Amino acid sequence: ELRGRLRIGAIQTALAGVLPLALSALRALHPHLRITVASGMSAELATRVEAGELDVAITTEPVKPHPYGLVSTVLYEEGFWIIAPVSLAHEDLQLLLKSQPFIRFDRRAWAGRTIERELRTMRMRVQTSMELDSQDAIIQMVSSGLGVSIIPLAQQQVESLTTLAFEPFGTPQKTRRVVLLEREDRPLRRLASALANAVKAYSPHTDP
């Protein structure tokens, strides 16, 4: 049985996907393990791990620029999806990217940079109407008919969001790896490994 305190940071898709089940299983196995959870974007969470404010963070795989002195363990993969109001489900969503207002994922976020880079590769010009750092806010804006967007989503979210139409972004679909970030000295190696194993157990697309 593990004991001690583990301060976890997590991106939104993990909080809405595998993390609750993983933490429940972890608590059942290790009732004396004290866990706190904070949410945030990957870049912010990585900085907090580097500064010692968090012990570990579940983030997307780091893209430059990123803090040094961190190591990562791959947990699973998520896909990038074009999303539109469900009323446009019969349309070609990729064509809608050119004609509809585009609600952009904040380019300060690692996911936002990935989306921006792929749009440039595709030579896709979009008409940005908003740039938001909250995935929930983007989903709400698109559901309300205010535009289309591209966001990363866990499979559980794709299956549960009935107010949206979905189409894979990219050919083949663009994906990102979700990782567990720790400092290089890994002061809480055993606790972090237990968390990683619990998350992988509930991940539908765990990287081999």
Side-chain angles (χ1 to χ4, degrees):
E1 181 184 324
L2 297 175
R3 296 171 179 265
R5 182 180 68 161
L6 186 63
R7 300 168 298 173
I8 303 168
I11 55 175
Q12 188 174 359
T13 54
L15 291 169
V18 299
L19 191 58
L21 291 172
L23 292 181
S24 180
L26 204 59
R27 177 176 289 180
L29 285 172
H30 309 291
H32 293 99
L33 182 59
R34 292 181 293 126
I35 294 172
T36 60
V37 180
S39 64
M41 292 191 294
S42 293
E44 169 203 349
L45 294 174
T47 300
R48 294 185 66 185
V49 172
E50 181 190 40
E53 297 173 13
L54 295 171
D55 300 310
V56 297
I58 298 173
T59 74
T60 59
E61 194 166 38
V63 297
K64 294 180 180 180
H66 59 77
Y68 294 99
L70 302 179
V71 294
S72 62
T73 302
V74 176
L75 300 174
Y76 58 93
E77 285 193 351
E78 290 178 341
F80 284 86
W81 298 84
I82 305 170
I83 60 171
V86 71
S87 59
L88 299 177
H90 61 286
E91 302 279 353
D92 183 330
L93 301 194
Q94 187 156 309
L95 291 178
L96 290 182
L97 286 176
K98 300 177 182 178
S99 61
Q100 294 290 312
F102 184 63
I103 302 171
R104 187 183 289 277
F105 202 113
D106 193 331
R107 282 168 284 192
R108 294 174 300 172
W110 290 343
R113 291 182 219 165
T114 300
I115 293 165
E116 174 71 8
R117 188 165 55 244
E118 187 67 13
L119 286 172
R120 287 179 181 172
T121 300
M122 296 169 64
R123 297 183 179 178
M124 176 81 69
R125 291 188 177 182
V126 294
Q127 304 170 38
T128 301
S129 62
M130 307 181 196
E131 185 163 351
L132 306 174
D133 64 3
S134 165
Q135 199 165 28
D136 273 344
I138 292 173
I139 289 170
Q140 291 299 322
M141 294 293 183
V142 174
S143 297
S144 299
L146 296 173
V148 299
S149 187
I150 300 165
I151 57 173
L153 290 168
Q155 190 60 39
Q156 296 97 320
Q157 290 176 290
V158 174
E159 294 167 0
S160 65
L161 290 169
T162 58
T163 59
L164 297 176
F166 299 91
E167 189 173 302
F169 175 56
T171 307
Q173 184 179 18
K174 194 74 177 172
T175 61
R176 68 176 184 178
R177 298 203 292 183
V178 177
V179 303
L180 186 72
L181 282 185
E182 308 168 67
R183 293 191 301 279
E184 280 184 340
D185 56 355
R186 300 182 74 181
L188 297 176
R189 181 188 303 262
R190 291 182 65 213
L191 303 189
S193 294
L195 173 63
N197 290 335
V199 170
K200 287 180 180 180
Y202 289 96
S203 303
H205 301 110
T206 302
D207 200 81

